[in-house]
Amino acid sequence: MKYGKILPGVFLARPNRFIAHVETAGRMEICHVKNTGRCRELLVPGARVWLEESANPARKTRYDLIAVEKMRPDGPLFINMDAQAPNKVFGEWAAAGGLGFVPTLLRPETAYGSSRFDFYWELSEEREARRGFWEVKGVTLEENNAARFPDAPTLRGVKHLEELVQARQAGYEAGVCFVVQMEGMDYVEPNDRTHPEFGAALRRAARAGVEVLALECEAEPGRLAAGRVIPVRL
């Protein structure tokens, strides 16, 4: 996926989870943050960030904050933090055959039970018909070259995993894909320190036949695209 007009800035403050104060082009702008997560390790005063200018002149905020540069001892790490981007990246990748086949149908936002999964897919072949669900989780937390999810407790995430198991037991294929919004990670693992219940639910889901996949992205200020599949350590 590609963005429109991008410009750099310096993060100043985040009064609430929806907006940030950013200095750009010599002035302070109130920007919409396209990620309602905590992101405390990313949005620190003085951090270099990237903004996308909206094409809608009627919007209250002119810019969206979409990416940040995290400072590490071995150098900066560019991280896309747009919460809407992972689904777009996964959808493009899956539609192009990333899962090992080109789906006959790939439909976003499909209800099942009391959940709404990110994607429902079908594959119609001469000898068989397959169908299934995928749930997508964007990953922005990095520690020592490992990507971890979640960065905050997510009861909704646990519920999604439990219902993926139910879908699997009902005869659907089912999977969860961690879309890593940065490059150069060694692996993905559940963040048991922050939310052990999510890690336990992920392991139960894997044992029940739910596919667990991690897709690292090629991340640039104006672009986020599927890169390589990396290991998931359970």
Side-chain angles (χ1 to χ4, degrees):
M1 60 165 292
K2 293 183 178 180
Y3 292 96
K5 184 178 179 181
I6 301 295
L7 66 159
V10 176
F11 175 79
L12 302 175
R14 190 179 186 181
N16 59 54
R17 61 180 183 156
F18 300 105
I19 64 170
H21 294 169
V22 176
E23 180 181 342
T24 183
R27 57 181 289 176
M28 194 277 285
E29 295 282 354
I30 298 176
C31 306
H32 171 61
V33 180
K34 295 192 77 174
N35 190 318
T36 57
R38 293 178 180 176
C39 303
R40 291 173 180 169
E41 77 286 354
L42 300 179
L43 295 180
V44 298
R48 183 174 172 84
V49 296
W50 278 263
L51 312 176
E52 180 184 32
E53 185 172 358
S54 173
N56 181 4
R59 265 186 41 157
K60 291 183 179 179
T61 53
R62 182 179 177 184
Y63 299 104
D64 290 316
L65 194 162
I66 60 168
V68 62
E69 190 174 81
K70 179 183 178 182
M71 295 307 300
R72 304 189 301 176
D74 59 347
L77 175 66
F78 179 86
I79 301 175
N80 177 294
M81 52 177 289
D82 178 357
Q84 298 174 11
N87 280 29
K88 295 178 182 177
V89 168
F90 179 87
E92 292 173 355
W93 179 74
L99 292 168
F101 58 88
V102 176
T104 309
L105 171 68
L106 184 66
R107 185 172 67 216
E109 295 295 324
T110 300
Y112 180 82
S114 60
S115 284
R116 182 174 292 274
F117 292 131
D118 290 319
F119 290 94
Y120 168 74
W121 62 269
E122 293 179 355
L123 177 63
S124 298
E125 300 177 322
E126 290 185 6
R127 295 184 179 180
E128 63 175 342
R130 298 167 57 190
R131 59 180 183 167
F133 296 100
W134 277 94
E135 184 64 18
V136 179
K137 304 295 183 187
V139 185
T140 61
L141 177 63
E142 176 272 342
E143 295 175 343
N144 301 318
N145 243 45
R148 294 191 169 96
F149 183 92
D151 67 351
T154 171
L155 296 177
R156 182 170 176 266
V158 172
K159 177 173 175 283
H160 281 153
L161 291 173
E162 291 171 345
E163 294 216 327
L164 283 173
V165 171
Q166 293 175 21
R168 189 74 183 91
Q169 292 171 343
Y172 293 90
E173 296 183 39
V176 56
C177 181
F178 295 97
V179 174
V180 182
Q181 296 170 251
M182 60 196 116
E183 297 183 52
M185 297 298 100
D186 295 329
Y187 56 89
V188 172
E189 66 180 4
N191 191 357
D192 292 312
R193 183 175 65 249
T194 295
H195 195 190
E197 291 81 4
F198 180 86
L202 182 64
R203 295 178 183 96
R204 287 195 301 271
R207 290 195 297 268
V210 174
E211 186 174 355
V212 181
L213 180 69
L215 180 62
E216 186 181 82
C217 290
E218 298 172 357
E220 302 171 6
R223 172 179 171 268
L224 190 71
R228 63 192 179 108
V229 173
I230 63 175
V232 179
R233 292 189 180 180
L234 298 177

